[in-house]
Amino acid sequence: MDDEKALIYQNIIENLSDGVIVIGFDSRVETCNDSACDMLGIKSDNIIGKTIAGLMTEIEGNDDFFELLLDAIYLKKKVSKTVTFTNGKQLKYLKVTTTFITAGNEETNLVVVVSDQTEVTNLIIRNKSLATQITALMNSFVEVMVTAVEEKSAYNANHTKNMVRYAEAYLDWLSSHGELAKNTSRNIGPLLMSVWLHDIGKLLIPQEVMDKATRLGAHLVTVMTKLEIARLMIKNRILSGEKTRDEGEKELARLGRLEKLIISANTAPVLDEETIEQLKSVADIDLMTSDGGTTPLFSPEELEAITVARGTLTAEERHIIESHASLTAKLLSKMEFVGDYKNVPAWASAHHEYLDGTGYPKKLSGDEIPWETRLLTIIDIYDALTADDRPYKPPMSPEQAFKILEDMAKKGKIDAKILKSFIKSNAWRKTVRYTDMKKIEIEAKKENLEEVLAFIDGYLEEVECPMKKQMQIDLAVEELFVNVALYAYAPGTGDVVIEIGLSEDRSQVLITFIDSGIPYDPLAKEDPDVTLPGEERQIGGLGIFLIKQYMDDIRYRFIDGCNNLTIVKNLE
């Protein structure tokens, strides 16, 4: 009966489309069906009775496959993994699954089931390649569109580039603090693409509206022409004797005052009520024309434009500008965004929506506005407030801009939590270029601290760093170097690279510690409560807390397998 069962099992194994290999725990092959031999490109006579180590030597270039089997044999573990295998003619992708034959309670043999996944895997590879090509095409489309916006309005292209820089820095900061996945997908490509495309609708906005630098805009020429003709007509009447010189001079002086008022009001960031009323009171003054008739100083359209209280746009022009959000949605709807990118049009076109429902174009509110759009809205407002290339307004300082944003958060218009995190990240700071960089690479051992401090102090003395600030930098450097020496490579040791540089304007010193030790972000740890008595405080964290007090900025990133901790000290 046992022989019958064995024969049945043998027939089943032989007729399986999957390959089956039975291996003893001495690593010798006991059975191998035809399917397995075909997949491996080996005759059964050349495999049965041989050890796996011997086969690895004979069939070179397939170490992953044979090492998988050896691990399963000697560690007696079940595995399921796809590996590559080449029989000299073709590269295959084989899925290897292992289990055991047991007799009683004892495992006697390893059973290896091999299935050929080459066709499926190649299809996946082709699909991934196609997806990469599609993403590249989308990125090319973005580049073309942003270039088009840049050609039309240089300041708006700068605005988009600034926003992308803020977003990249902020998302990088979230990632380094382990908070990226809590808020959005780890694939930040779609979010950044929505930033690139958020103002694409401005391609359809008339340039005279989008780049309107003054209240009157093109109307200024018309108004100034009216005044100039009126002057010439007064001078002609003086010369012809129709007006006395005194009468004419008074009228010319009056026109001069009107011209000054108009020029001043045309470019002022804000108009007070008194100025607006003054402009309205002179709107209907009749000016002489070249044909002997008269015309009012301002037409209704010109009066509306010159009396805009804040900014340069009339209500109609502002409505035209605001339409760029719905135009962005319209343009992006013409292109199919799929997979991770399917939400790009919605994120991009909703960047003027407010949590309280007072935004546009759809009056979305609360949970209708996703995290990605909430972030986009904050950085859009921040850059608009601080931009130094807008023709119609002076830039605000970051402090002034954040006061406005914090007020908007209190009123429930923007996300207070994201705003607080964005401010903390320092992603909004302008990129500072550092020059005169020097570095030292040294073994991270406490006894090398003196050499490190000598290197730092030598540099600081060269750049004439104030002594008080030098002492604060020394304390921070000592704390950081000792931490690396004690913990980065424990229980062994390794090297640390220390770089130091000076900003181009010589106002900041930057020092970066780079080690390839255990990944560790000291900024992720909460600050200790220093108001508690020493015996009640949690252990650790005080050193980094003190560094935060002494330094003007501290940043951590894990890059290319290395911890990068940077401290910045303002010298001014």
Side-chain angles (χ1 to χ4, degrees):
M1 190 67 180
D2 289 341
D3 290 340
E4 282 185 31
K5 285 184 179 180
L7 183 60
I8 291 171
Y9 292 150
Q10 183 68 31
N11 287 332
I12 291 173
I13 290 173
E14 285 298 334
N15 290 301
L16 284 175
S17 59
D18 285 341
V20 178
I21 306 171
V22 179
I23 306 171
F25 286 123
D26 60 356
S27 91
R28 292 187 181 277
V29 177
E30 296 182 359
T31 303
C32 178
N33 70 358
D34 290 341
S35 295
C37 291
D38 290 342
M39 289 181 201
L40 302 181
I42 309 170
K43 293 182 179 180
S44 60
D45 294 344
N46 293 334
I47 186 172
I48 295 175
K50 293 186 178 180
T51 64
I52 298 301
L55 290 170
M56 181 187 294
T57 303
E58 288 182 26
I59 310 171
E60 297 179 350
N62 296 292
D63 290 356
D64 288 347
F65 176 79
F66 290 115
E67 285 176 2
L68 186 69
L69 301 185
L70 288 172
D71 284 346
I73 293 168
Y74 292 117
L75 298 178
K76 291 189 176 181
K77 67 177 182 180
K78 294 181 180 181
V79 297
S80 181
K81 186 178 179 181
T82 299
V83 294
T84 58
F85 189 93
T86 177
N87 58 16
K89 299 178 181 179
Q90 180 187 7
L91 176 67
K92 295 185 177 183
Y93 294 90
L94 303 180
K95 183 177 180 181
V96 180
T97 305
T98 66
T99 187
F100 300 100
I101 296 175
T102 58
N105 294 325
E106 185 180 355
E107 294 170 341
T108 59
N109 296 85
L110 178 76
V111 179
V112 181
V113 178
V114 184
S115 58
D116 192 342
Q117 301 291 310
T118 303
E119 187 174 342
V120 174
T121 304
N122 283 335
L123 179 61
I124 292 171
I125 292 171
R126 284 196 296 271
N127 286 342
K128 284 186 176 181
S129 177
L130 180 60
T132 301
Q133 292 176 37
I134 291 172
T135 302
L137 177 62
M138 291 171 69
N139 288 330
S140 297
F141 165 75
V142 170
E143 186 176 346
V144 170
M145 292 298 100
V146 173
T147 300
V149 174
E150 185 174 8
E151 288 295 320
K152 185 172 184 179
S153 175
Y155 82 77
N156 200 76
N158 290 334
H159 167 64
T160 299
K161 290 172 184 174
N162 288 341
M163 285 182 60
V164 170
R165 180 166 55 81
Y166 297 143
E168 285 179 332
Y170 178 62
L171 294 171
D172 186 56
W173 182 83
L174 285 178
S175 180
S176 71
H177 285 72
E179 297 179 12
L180 182 63
K182 296 178 185 177
N183 298 294
T184 190
S185 166
R186 291 188 183 276
N187 180 6
I188 63 174
L191 201 163
L192 293 177
M193 183 170 286
S194 71
V195 180
W196 278 113
L197 293 173
H198 80 286
D199 272 348
I200 207 70
K202 288 183 176 177
L203 277 173
L204 304 181
I205 302 298
Q207 190 160 357
E208 62 270 19
V209 175
M210 190 156 73
D211 283 354
K212 191 181 177 190
T214 62
R215 286 175 172 79
L216 285 172
H219 292 304
L220 179 64
V221 174
T222 304
V223 174
M224 290 296 107
T225 300
K226 291 180 190 178
L227 289 170
E228 187 59 31
I229 291 174
R231 282 196 190 91
L232 291 173
M233 295 304 294
I234 291 171
K235 290 177 181 179
N236 283 339
R237 291 195 174 190
I238 293 172
L239 292 173
S240 66
E242 293 181 56
K243 283 184 181 291
T244 67
R245 181 166 294 279
D246 285 346
E247 288 175 336
E249 293 292 345
K250 286 180 181 178
E251 290 186 20
L252 289 173
R254 186 188 187 197
L255 293 181
R257 289 193 296 273
L258 287 176
E259 184 176 31
K260 286 183 179 180
L261 173 64
I262 293 167
I263 291 174
S264 174
N266 191 41
T267 57
V270 179
L271 293 184
D272 56 37
E273 284 298 326
E274 183 180 349
T275 303
I276 292 174
E277 288 304 317
Q278 190 177 359
L279 289 164
K280 289 180 178 179
S281 70
V282 300
D284 292 329
I285 288 177
D286 286 329
L287 302 177
M288 287 186 288
T289 60
S290 58
D291 60 1
T294 61
T295 184
L297 175 61
F298 297 128
S299 68
E301 293 82 7
E302 291 162 352
L303 179 61
E304 181 187 7
I306 195 64
T307 54
V308 169
R310 184 182 294 275
T312 64
L313 301 179
T314 64
E316 182 181 356
E317 290 166 340
R318 189 165 295 283
H319 177 71
I320 292 172
I321 283 287
E322 289 179 353
S323 71
H324 81 274
S326 55
L327 290 172
T328 291
K330 184 176 181 180
L331 286 174
L332 296 183
S333 70
K334 303 299 182 182
M335 184 174 180
E336 187 176 2
F337 290 83
V338 296
D340 289 346
Y341 289 79
K342 66 181 180 181
N343 293 317
V344 167
W347 294 346
S349 60
H351 65 281
H352 283 293
E353 301 285 3
Y354 290 148
L355 297 178
D356 62 358
T358 61
Y360 62 87
K362 293 184 178 180
K363 304 292 182 184
L364 301 178
S365 63
D367 292 339
E368 293 178 302
I369 304 175
W371 183 91
E372 292 80 3
T373 297
R374 297 182 187 204
L375 171 63
L376 210 162
T377 300
I378 288 172
I379 60 178
D380 180 65
I381 296 171
Y382 175 78
D383 187 68
L385 293 173
T386 59
D388 57 8
D389 56 0
R390 300 298 171 96
Y392 50 81
K393 73 168 189 66
M396 285 187 183
S397 68
E399 292 74 21
Q400 291 172 310
F402 285 134
K403 283 182 181 179
I404 291 174
L405 285 164
E406 286 167 348
D407 184 59
M408 293 178 71
K410 288 177 183 176
K411 292 177 179 177
K413 292 185 176 296
I414 60 175
D415 193 304
K417 185 177 179 182
I418 295 177
L419 176 61
K420 183 178 180 181
S421 176
F422 178 67
I423 295 172
K424 182 180 179 182
S425 73
N426 286 318
W428 47 271
R429 292 188 182 276
K430 289 186 177 180
T431 303
V432 179
R433 292 183 60 188
Y434 288 87
T435 59
D436 300 326
M437 298 293 293
K438 292 185 179 180
K439 71 178 181 179
I440 181 175
E441 184 170 355
I442 193 168
E443 190 174 5
K445 300 174 73 172
K446 284 181 67 177
E447 47 264 41
N448 289 333
L449 175 60
E450 188 174 337
E451 185 176 346
V452 169
L453 290 176
F455 166 71
I456 296 295
D457 289 342
Y459 187 93
L460 296 177
E461 288 169 8
E462 283 183 18
V463 300
E464 300 179 349
C465 175
M467 183 53 66
K468 181 179 178 180
K469 294 179 184 291
Q470 181 174 328
M471 291 174 64
Q472 292 172 336
I473 292 172
D474 282 350
L475 287 170
V477 168
E478 180 176 350
E479 175 68 25
L480 293 175
F481 181 77
V482 170
N483 276 348
V484 174
L486 292 178
Y487 306 115
Y489 298 99
T493 186
D495 291 343
V496 58
V497 174
I498 303 172
E499 297 179 341
I500 185 168
L502 190 67
S503 61
E504 282 187 318
D505 62 1
R506 304 184 69 82
S507 66
Q508 289 183 330
V509 167
L510 173 143
I511 304 172
T512 299
F513 290 75
I514 306 169
D515 70 77
S516 57
I518 300 167
Y520 176 65
D521 178 7
L523 303 183
K525 189 176 181 64
E526 289 188 8
D527 291 340
D529 187 348
V530 294
T531 63
L532 295 175
E535 63 273 11
E536 295 182 22
R537 291 184 208 148
Q538 289 187 346
I539 298 174
L542 187 58
I544 289 294
F545 175 76
L546 292 175
I547 292 174
K548 290 178 181 177
Q549 309 311 306
Y550 288 136
M551 297 297 104
D552 294 291
D553 192 14
I554 180 169
R555 314 163 196 158
Y556 171 83
R557 295 180 71 191
F558 189 74
I559 310 170
D560 297 331
C562 292
N563 295 296
N564 285 246
L565 189 69
T566 300
I567 55 175
V568 178
K569 184 66 178 175
N570 294 336
L571 298 184
E572 296 178 354

